[in-house]
Amino acid sequence: DAGITQSPRHKVTETGTPVTLRCHQTENHRYMYWYRQDPGHGLRLIHYSYGVKDTDKGEVSDGYSVSRSKTEDFLLTLESATSSQTSVYFCAISEKRQSAFFGQGTRLTVV
Amino acid sequence: AQSVSQHNHHVILSEAASLELGCNYSYGGTVNLFWYVQYPGQHLQLLLKYFSGDPLVKGIKGFEAEFIKSKFSFNLRKPSVQWSDTAEYFCAALNTGGGADGLTFGKGTHLIIQP
C-alpha cells in the first residue's frame, strides 16, 4: 500500500467546534485529495491540491478549508462542524493524475 | 459536468455465479476509467484501470472490465465470484484534459456473495 496516513482515525466532536484532519504521505506525490464518503452518495471530492500552497475546491467544498504547506501534508479543516459533516473522510494521493491511492479513512461524528 | 452512473446499488449472488456490474460515464472528452473495491471497514483499493489501447483490461483477483466507447460504458466482470468478493465496488472516471481535479465516483454497488 502507498504510504498514506490519516489522523485521527476516529473523532467525535460537538456541533460548532473546529476540527482538523490530517493526511500525511511518504510517496512525494504531487496531487492530494480529500473525499467524503456517505451512504448512497459514493465518494465526493471536497478539495484537492496540485502542489504546495496550490489548492482548489471540489464538488462539496462548502464548510471546509484546506492547507498544504508541505508536499507531504494536506490538512482538512471544518471551521465550525455541523451534523451534516458526519461522514467518513478519505485522503488520496496521485502522482500523474492517474490512479489514486487512498488512506484508511477518518470516521468523524458531529454530535 | 462529468458524472459516473452505476446501475445496481445492491447485488446478491451465490458463490461461483458470474458477475457483471454496470458503469456508464458522461463526458465529452477523453477519460481514464477505474474500478475500486472497498472491503468492509477498509479503504478503497484499485482493482483495474483503463487509459488507452486494448479495451478489455484485466485487474487483480480475477476481475476484468471492458471499455465500450460507443456506449460510454466500463462494466466490471468476473466469471466466478467467491464469498471473499463481498464488498462495495466503485466505478470512477478522471478527466484527462486540463485541470487537476480528482476522480469522479459512481455511488457504488454493494455486492453480497452468499456461500
Side-chain angles (χ1 to χ4, degrees), chain A residues 1 9 31 33 35 37-38 40-45 48-50 57 59 88 90 96-105, chain B residues 9 32 34 36 38 41-46 49 51 88 90 94-108:
Chain A
D1 286 346
R9 294 292 312 280
Y31 300 94
Y33 309 91
Y35 289 88
Q37 183 180 22
D38 304 288
H41 290 278
L43 282 86
R44 293 178 291 175
L45 183 65
Y48 60 94
S49 169
Y50 45 98
K57 297 178 180 180
E59 177 188 355
V88 181
F90 285 98
K96 297 182 181 179
R97 289 193 70 243
Q98 297 176 351
S99 49
F101 300 98
F102 285 81
Q104 297 285 343
Chain B
H9 298 301
N32 292 339
F34 309 85
Y36 282 85
Q38 185 179 32
Q42 297 189 23
H43 64 293
L44 277 77
Q45 302 172 44
L46 182 66
K49 58 188 177 184
F51 291 169
E88 188 103 21
F90 294 95
L94 178 67
N95 166 18
T96 61
D101 53 323
L103 298 166
T104 298
F105 284 87
K107 294 184 178 181

Side-chain angles (χ1 to χ4, degrees), chain A residues 32-90:
Chain A
M32 298 185 75
Y33 309 91
W34 277 108
Y35 289 88
R36 59 178 290 174
Q37 183 180 22
D38 304 288
H41 290 278
L43 282 86
R44 293 178 291 175
L45 183 65
I46 305 171
H47 280 279
Y48 60 94
S49 169
Y50 45 98
V52 173
K53 297 186 179 179
D54 292 324
T55 66
D56 207 344
K57 297 178 180 180
E59 177 188 355
V60 290
S61 59
D62 287 348
Y64 302 93
S65 62
V66 290
S67 66
R68 190 169 179 200
S69 58
K70 298 184 290 185
T71 298
E72 57 266 35
D73 289 326
F74 192 34
L75 304 180
L76 176 71
T77 297
L78 290 66
E79 302 291 347
S80 177
T82 66
S83 59
S84 65
Q85 293 176 312
T86 292
S87 185
V88 181
Y89 292 85
F90 285 98

Side-chain angles (χ1 to χ4, degrees), chain B residues 1 3 9 15-17 22 43 52 59 64 72 78 83 86 89 102-103 111 114-115:
Chain B
S3 66
H9 298 301
E15 276 192 315
H43 64 293
S52 64
E64 64 179 31
F72 295 89
K78 187 172 184 178
W83 176 79
T86 293
Y89 292 82
L103 298 166
L111 175 65
Q114 297 176 330

Side-chain angles (χ1 to χ4, degrees), chain B residues 69-82:
Chain B
K69 187 174 182 180
S70 60
K71 295 184 178 181
F72 295 89
S73 70
F74 190 56
N75 292 355
L76 181 70
R77 301 196 292 247
K78 187 172 184 178
S80 176
V81 295
Q82 302 172 316

